[in-house]
Amino acid sequence: MAPKKKVGKKGKGSKAPAVVDALSPQEMSKEQLEKHVVRLREELDREREERNYFQLERDKIHTFWEITRRQLEEKRAELRNKDREMEEAEERHQVEIKVYKQKVKHLLYEHQENLTELKAEGTLSMKRAQKDHWTQEMELRKDMRSLKVELKEQELANEVVVKNMHLKQEEEITQLCNDFERQVKEIEAKYTKKMQVLRDELDLRRKTEIHEVEERKNSQISELMRNHEKAFSDIKNYYNDITLKNLALISLLKEQMEEMKKRENHLEKEKADVLLQNKQLKEPLQQAQEQVSELQKKLAHYDKDKEALTNTKAHLKVTQKELKDLQWEHEVLEQRFSKVQAERDELYQKFTKAINEVQQKTGFKNLLLERKLKGLLSVLEKKEVELSEVFAASSLDPGALSLVSHKLEDVLNSKNATIKDLQLQLARVCKAHNDMLQTFEAKLTAFGIPLDNLGFKPLASPVLGQALGQGPAGLVAVPT
């Protein structure tokens, strides 16, 4: 938003001093020079502010990339820790199964020792216990069937949700690509339009300066013509005065002619010679005077044309220098724009790559957990069937049966607690993943990247009856 405002101010300010720029620095007045210097300083400050703004944007993007990279490494470390904890839990589970088998063997051995002593007393109680056990077994089998049906339904629902999420993600990626291409085209059109406007302004300024030079030249020509006419009239008056003086001299000589009749004959020859020389010298004098006037005209034209030529050359150098500066600034801005665009594309590629990696890893971990859960359930079913067969074949008394059932319930409760802990950890990891995606969206919107339809829904729970990603990270409630 900030660079657009600055460009607008610059466009408004560049129209006002157009009349001042038409003059050379030698022809400007003091106030015009001060205004010109103030305007140049304002343009320099604006360019510095834009440079600082782009540097801050680059630093923000770099810090954002570092933060996301650290978060990704932390999440990878958390996933490795979870994998390690899962492996340790599985090893503990195998150890507990071995201990349980040994305990069952000890119980069977004790049962065989006590069976001979309590056989007569426990026949009736065994029949009752068998009836109760068969009823409980039927109920448990019904519950297991219903749980299996629900598990299959949820697996189908999870597959449908995953497919829908993949389709939505592909649509959003294509839309983002189209948006970025459209923005690049708009920016290119904007800068080409600015370049064309700048060229038009420089052409208009050059035409106005040429027109002013032509006007000054025409005014100088008219002034020279007036000066030449005035000089011609002065020369004409001068020769008229000379002719009048000659006439007065002739009249004076006529008056003195009577006195100089004696010398008339002698002077007539000299007079004839002088008149002849005067006639011969009059034409070269006129030619010389005409040549002097023409040379004076050419000299005046030459001085004024030389001055105008120096002024135009100075203006041309100034305009060429300004054009070179503007071209250099344009190239610098284009290089900055291409560099920022390349950094943005690189960050976007890294962002999408990180999201895909996290999604693949979380999906793989969820699939492993589901498979482990299925394996544990199948093992539990087998153990229950084996235990029921052992109970049916061994005909235990009620005390031993209650003891064994209590121990089995303790083992099952501990296994259920570990399963719930694993589900809680899975929920926290999924929620942290969703929070990371939300922070990415917020950062992208803060840096001006449009997100019209970008959004990531929370992951569906692979555990029965739970919804992951609905609370803040680290505050997922323990499933009850």
Side-chain angles (χ1 to χ4, degrees):
M1 296 293 180
K4 290 183 179 177
K5 291 182 181 178
K6 290 179 181 178
V7 172
K9 290 181 181 177
K10 190 173 180 181
K12 291 181 181 177
S14 63
K15 293 181 181 177
V19 179
V20 179
D21 291 337
L23 299 174
S24 64
Q26 292 81 9
E27 295 177 357
M28 290 183 187
S29 63
K30 185 177 180 181
E31 294 178 355
Q32 290 176 350
L33 284 170
E34 289 176 354
K35 291 180 181 178
H36 187 64
V37 170
V38 169
R39 183 173 66 81
L40 291 174
R41 285 178 180 174
E42 290 176 355
E43 290 179 357
L44 181 61
D45 293 335
R46 282 196 292 271
E47 292 295 329
R48 286 176 178 172
E49 288 176 359
E50 287 180 358
R51 183 193 65 187
N52 295 328
Y53 177 76
F54 285 118
Q55 287 179 355
L56 289 173
E57 291 293 327
R58 185 190 64 188
D59 294 335
K60 286 181 181 178
I61 292 170
H62 184 68
T63 52
F64 172 67
W65 179 76
E66 290 290 333
I67 290 166
T68 52
R69 185 174 62 80
R70 290 174 187 169
Q71 290 179 355
L72 183 61
E73 290 176 356
E74 290 175 358
K75 296 301 175 185
R76 287 177 177 172
E78 288 179 2
L79 289 173
R80 287 195 295 271
N81 292 327
K82 296 300 177 184
D83 293 334
R84 202 177 296 114
E85 289 175 1
M86 288 290 291
E87 291 175 358
E88 291 175 359
E90 188 175 359
E91 290 176 359
R92 288 196 299 270
H93 179 62
Q94 294 294 331
V95 171
E96 288 175 358
I97 289 171
K98 291 179 181 178
V99 172
Y100 171 72
K101 288 180 179 179
Q102 290 177 359
K103 288 181 179 179
V104 169
K105 289 179 181 179
H106 288 297
L107 289 171
L108 290 172
Y109 179 73
E110 291 175 358
H111 173 65
Q112 288 177 359
E113 289 180 349
N114 294 324
L115 185 63
T116 57
E117 297 176 358
L118 301 172
K119 191 174 183 180
E121 297 176 357
T123 53
L124 296 174
S125 60
M126 182 58 71
K127 290 180 181 179
R128 292 172 190 161
Q130 284 179 355
K131 288 181 182 179
D132 295 333
H133 176 70
W134 284 112
T135 54
Q136 289 178 0
E137 186 178 358
M138 294 299 293
E139 291 176 357
L140 288 172
R141 286 181 179 178
K142 289 180 182 178
D143 292 334
M144 288 297 292
R145 290 192 190 97
S146 63
L147 288 173
K148 286 181 180 179
V149 172
E150 290 179 358
L151 182 61
K152 288 181 180 178
E153 290 177 355
Q154 284 197 356
E155 286 177 354
L156 293 173
N158 289 331
E159 289 178 356
V160 173
V161 170
V162 169
K163 289 180 181 178
N164 292 326
M165 288 177 71
H166 281 300
L167 292 173
K168 288 181 180 179
Q169 186 180 7
E170 290 177 356
E171 291 177 356
E172 289 167 358
I173 289 169
T174 54
Q175 190 172 3
L176 280 173
C177 292
N178 293 325
D179 291 335
F180 282 122
E181 289 178 357
R182 180 177 54 78
Q183 287 180 2
V184 168
K185 290 180 181 177
E186 289 178 356
I187 291 169
E188 287 179 355
K190 180 180 175 182
Y191 278 98
T192 52
K193 187 176 179 182
K194 284 185 179 179
M195 192 66 187
Q196 188 64 35
V197 170
L198 186 61
R199 286 179 180 173
D200 294 336
E201 288 180 357
L202 291 174
D203 291 335
L204 182 62
R205 188 181 295 174
R206 181 175 56 79
K207 289 179 181 178
T208 52
E209 289 177 355
I210 291 169
H211 183 67
E212 288 178 357
V213 170
E214 289 179 354
E215 287 181 353
R216 286 199 298 273
K217 187 175 180 181
N218 292 325
S219 63
Q220 289 173 1
I221 290 168
S222 61
E223 187 176 358
L224 285 172
M225 290 177 70
R226 287 195 298 271
N227 292 327
H228 292 164
E229 288 177 357
K230 185 177 179 182
F232 181 73
S233 63
D234 292 334
I235 291 169
K236 188 177 180 181
N237 292 324
Y238 174 72
Y239 279 106
N240 288 326
D241 292 335
I242 289 171
T243 52
L244 290 172
K245 286 179 181 180
N246 288 326
L247 290 171
L249 183 61
I250 289 167
S251 63
L252 182 62
L253 289 172
K254 283 180 180 181
E255 290 177 356
Q256 293 178 358
M257 191 179 291
E258 293 178 356
E259 295 178 357
M260 298 177 68
K261 282 181 180 181
K262 293 178 181 181
R263 297 174 63 186
E264 185 177 0
N265 294 321
H266 180 71
L267 293 174
E268 281 180 358
K269 292 180 181 180
E270 293 180 358
K271 182 180 177 183
D273 294 332
V274 168
L275 290 173
L276 183 61
Q277 289 177 2
N278 192 7
K279 288 180 181 179
Q280 290 176 357
L281 293 172
K282 190 174 182 181
E283 292 179 358
L285 179 64
Q286 290 179 357
Q287 291 178 358
Q289 288 176 352
E290 289 177 356
Q291 288 178 359
V292 168
S293 62
E294 289 178 357
L295 289 172
Q296 287 178 354
K297 289 179 182 179
K298 289 181 180 179
L299 181 61
H301 282 295
Y302 176 74
D303 293 333
K304 291 182 180 179
D305 291 336
K306 187 176 180 181
E307 185 178 359
L309 182 61
T310 54
N311 293 326
T312 53
K313 284 182 178 179
H315 284 297
L316 183 61
K317 288 180 180 179
V318 172
T319 53
Q320 287 178 354
K321 186 177 180 182
E322 291 179 355
L323 182 60
K324 288 180 180 178
D325 293 335
L326 291 172
Q327 288 177 354
W328 181 75
E329 290 176 359
H330 180 67
E331 290 177 358
V332 170
L333 290 173
E334 283 183 349
Q335 290 177 0
R336 288 180 183 174
F337 174 71
S338 62
K339 186 176 180 182
V340 171
Q341 191 174 8
E343 289 178 357
R344 183 200 64 188
D345 295 334
E346 186 178 358
L347 285 174
Y348 181 71
Q349 290 176 0
K350 290 180 180 178
F351 170 66
T352 53
K353 186 177 179 181
I355 289 173
N356 291 325
E357 288 179 357
V358 171
Q359 286 181 350
Q360 289 176 0
K361 289 184 179 180
T362 52
F364 183 69
K365 296 298 180 183
N366 291 330
L367 185 61
L368 288 176
L369 290 173
E370 288 178 358
R371 289 180 178 176
K372 288 181 180 179
L373 183 62
K374 289 179 181 179
L376 290 173
L377 290 172
S378 62
V379 171
L380 182 62
E381 289 177 358
K382 290 179 181 179
K383 295 297 179 182
E384 287 180 352
V385 172
E386 290 176 357
L387 186 61
S388 63
E389 291 177 355
V390 169
F391 287 156
S394 60
S395 65
L396 291 172
D397 58 346
L401 184 62
S402 63
L403 181 61
V404 172
S405 62
H406 283 303
K407 289 182 179 180
L408 287 174
E409 286 178 358
D410 293 334
V411 172
L412 290 173
N413 289 325
S414 65
K415 297 299 179 183
N416 290 325
T418 55
I419 289 168
K420 288 179 181 179
D421 291 334
L422 291 173
Q423 289 176 354
L424 181 60
Q425 291 175 3
L426 179 62
R428 286 178 180 173
V429 171
C430 293
K431 186 64 182 86
H433 172 68
N434 290 329
D435 291 337
M436 186 174 66
L437 292 178
Q438 291 177 2
T439 54
F440 276 129
E441 292 177 9
K443 292 292 183 181
L444 287 174
T445 53
F447 285 113
I449 299 172
L451 296 171
D452 296 332
N453 296 319
L454 184 61
F456 295 93
K457 294 183 179 179
L459 294 173
S461 173
V463 188
L464 295 174
Q466 291 185 5
L468 301 181
Q470 300 296 330
L475 296 176
V476 182
V478 178
T480 56

